[in-house]
Amino acid sequence: MKVWKESINKTAYQEELAYIVSVLRENLDLFVGSYPHVSVKNRYSPEENVLWTSSFFVGMCYLAYEYTGDEVFRKYEKEHLDSFQDRLDRKRGISHDLGFLYTLSCVACYKTTGDRRAEELARRAARLLAERYNEKGKYIQAWGEMGIGYPDVKIIIDTMLNLPLLYWTGDEKLAEIAENHALTASGTLVRPDASTYHTYLMNPDTGEAVCGKTHQGYADESIWARGQAWAVYGYALSYRYTGDSRFLQVARRAAEVFRRNLPADWVPYWDFTFTDEQPDIRDTSAASIYVCGLLELCSHVSDGEAESCLSLAETVMRSLREKYTTKGMENVNGILTEGMYHRHDGQEESTIWGDYFYMEALMRLTRDWRLYW
């Protein structure tokens, strides 16, 4: 364990993991080839494997397998791989989110079991992700078909969590694409004060960066909480792979912006426009991503700064576990309550990505976990 981990009292985190494992165990048979996305009354229903979120349940199963050693969490491994292979074969829902999809479904499988089929599927997905790279602008296009023109081409801050798939391959060209995208985003999506835009419009013909916009935030110039969390964790991970101190500085500064905008109970409103004086809906998924980012930063900064990051991470986690989980609720299969997808589509619900990052944070706090990213 790292020096900064020596003070952690693991008991509460182990209790949380035990609860999550029990929920996963009860729902293994429900999500096979169809996966949870956003709940209704904190209960997920299976969704077709075409969304950006399809891999998070699979990733949670591998976390549960690592935590318990119970082979039951690999019960549908072949079926999951079949589903994600079919998605590649048919090119269903292809976007910048290939990193989310194949890191947690296939890289996680390969790292925990050594499965070579999973490794090859992840490498296929990485090559497909790299096809979304615009050489002139040095960015990975988010949504839509390649070749369409301005104003439809965008980059988005979420892509920072998709870059690890490219780094992981060990392919120098793919790693260069990832690093170049991170640099481009640091000069566009990341504002001078280290707050972030959700999206930035790009001209694919010239590579020119045009202007910042939002897609899920309150306003173009506001700070969407989940986007800020993606920046913290994503840039910390890019630093892990590249050693480029510019990425570490972005992650640290973005983390400070997030901290300064936390309300009294440490769980953010969905956009930092809102405060305890002017409240709105929370987003627990942003909180769980942020905690993972803080814990990643702990591995790359001085002991003193790591202790501060850990203290803040534990404070946020305490609020989540004491006030924002489904423990004690009936007919639910989500973990965190009060997550946010879009402001008018999936709010105050469990979100499968929020649940995943909450579980990952718990794993990081209880052991030396070899990350999937």
Side-chain angles (χ1 to χ4, degrees), residues 209-365:
V210 181
C211 62
K213 295 284 187 180
T214 198
H215 179 64
Q216 289 174 252
Y218 178 76
D220 290 343
E221 297 299 326
S222 70
I223 308 172
W224 178 49
R226 191 158 81 245
Q228 193 70 19
W230 291 138
V232 176
Y233 197 8
Y235 275 99
L237 290 171
S238 275
Y239 175 73
R240 171 185 281 269
Y241 279 101
T242 67
D244 189 325
S245 61
R246 291 173 292 183
F247 296 154
L248 181 59
Q249 287 301 104
V250 171
R252 295 168 71 198
R253 294 179 65 227
E256 177 60 17
V257 170
F258 200 108
R259 185 197 66 79
R260 290 200 308 266
N261 283 279
L262 284 169
D265 80 344
W266 304 97
V267 173
Y269 298 101
W270 68 282
D271 191 285
F272 292 151
T273 297
F274 302 102
T275 64
D276 286 339
E277 290 71 37
Q278 184 187 358
D280 204 83
I281 297 168
R282 308 276 180 171
D283 184 8
T284 55
S285 76
S288 63
I289 297 162
Y290 179 55
V291 169
C292 288
L294 289 173
L295 296 176
E296 178 64 22
L297 275 174
C298 286
S299 297
H300 308 304
V301 296
S302 67
D303 286 347
E305 187 174 346
E307 289 172 3
S308 296
C309 287
L310 175 61
S311 176
L312 178 54
E314 290 204 272
T315 299
V316 177
M317 288 293 281
R318 185 179 305 112
S319 187
L320 288 175
R321 76 171 187 265
E322 290 180 354
K323 295 190 286 187
Y324 294 97
T325 76
T326 58
K327 291 189 299 292
M329 298 172 64
E330 295 183 357
N331 195 35
V332 298
N333 58 13
I335 305 299
L336 287 181
T337 63
E338 298 194 43
M340 164 77 83
Y341 184 35
H342 289 278
R343 176 61 180 84
H344 300 291
D345 177 19
Q347 66 273 5
E348 297 181 285
E349 290 287 351
S350 299
T351 64
I352 192 59
W353 62 91
D355 291 354
Y356 168 82
F357 285 107
Y358 184 58
M359 189 177 185
E360 181 187 305
L362 292 167
M363 289 287 282
R364 284 175 170 272
L365 286 163

Side-chain angles (χ1 to χ4, degrees), residues 59-290:
M60 292 177 74
C61 287
Y62 283 112
L63 291 176
Y65 170 63
E66 285 199 79
Y67 185 67
T68 66
D70 191 338
E71 293 283 341
V72 73
F73 293 105
R74 296 179 59 192
K75 179 179 180 180
Y76 293 111
E77 186 169 278
K78 179 182 181 301
E79 288 82 358
H80 294 317
L81 291 177
D82 286 347
S83 179
F84 281 89
Q85 179 173 334
D86 178 72
R87 182 163 182 168
L88 278 181
D89 291 344
R90 298 169 63 184
K91 294 190 175 181
R92 306 183 77 196
I94 299 303
S95 72
H96 64 285
D97 286 321
L98 284 160
F100 281 130
L101 291 164
Y102 288 86
T103 297
L104 295 182
S105 64
C106 294
V107 176
C109 177
Y110 172 63
K111 285 187 173 182
T112 55
T113 72
D115 189 291
R116 293 297 180 180
R117 179 189 177 199
E119 179 191 20
E120 180 50 35
L121 288 174
R123 292 186 182 280
R124 277 184 62 191
R127 293 191 292 269
L128 192 58
L129 176 58
E131 291 179 7
R132 304 189 65 79
Y133 183 64
N134 181 298
E135 181 65 46
K136 289 181 180 179
K138 298 190 182 306
Y139 63 82
I140 294 170
Q141 181 177 317
W143 305 291
E145 294 184 16
M146 299 298 291
I148 60 176
Y150 170 81
D152 297 310
V153 171
K154 299 178 178 68
I155 58 174
I156 69 172
I157 196 64
D158 315 43
T159 304
M160 290 305 303
L161 257 291
N162 288 271
L163 300 182
L165 180 66
L166 300 177
Y167 292 126
W168 162 81
T169 64
D171 182 293
E172 290 184 5
K173 179 59 178 176
L174 298 188
E176 181 183 2
I177 287 172
E179 188 169 359
N180 285 345
H181 177 90
L183 286 169
T184 297
S186 70
T188 51
L189 292 167
V190 180
R191 301 182 180 110
D193 66 357
S195 66
T196 54
Y197 289 107
H198 183 194
T199 80
Y200 219 90
L201 303 187
M202 309 296 286
N203 185 325
D205 297 323
T206 65
E208 177 190 7
V210 181
C211 62
K213 295 284 187 180
T214 198
H215 179 64
Q216 289 174 252
Y218 178 76
D220 290 343
E221 297 299 326
S222 70
I223 308 172
W224 178 49
R226 191 158 81 245
Q228 193 70 19
W230 291 138
V232 176
Y233 197 8
Y235 275 99
L237 290 171
S238 275
Y239 175 73
R240 171 185 281 269
Y241 279 101
T242 67
D244 189 325
S245 61
R246 291 173 292 183
F247 296 154
L248 181 59
Q249 287 301 104
V250 171
R252 295 168 71 198
R253 294 179 65 227
E256 177 60 17
V257 170
F258 200 108
R259 185 197 66 79
R260 290 200 308 266
N261 283 279
L262 284 169
D265 80 344
W266 304 97
V267 173
Y269 298 101
W270 68 282
D271 191 285
F272 292 151
T273 297
F274 302 102
T275 64
D276 286 339
E277 290 71 37
Q278 184 187 358
D280 204 83
I281 297 168
R282 308 276 180 171
D283 184 8
T284 55
S285 76
S288 63
I289 297 162
Y290 179 55

Side-chain angles (χ1 to χ4, degrees), residues 50-68:
V50 295
L51 301 172
W52 69 277
T53 54
S54 299
S55 62
F56 287 99
F57 179 82
V58 184
M60 292 177 74
C61 287
Y62 283 112
L63 291 176
Y65 170 63
E66 285 199 79
Y67 185 67
T68 66

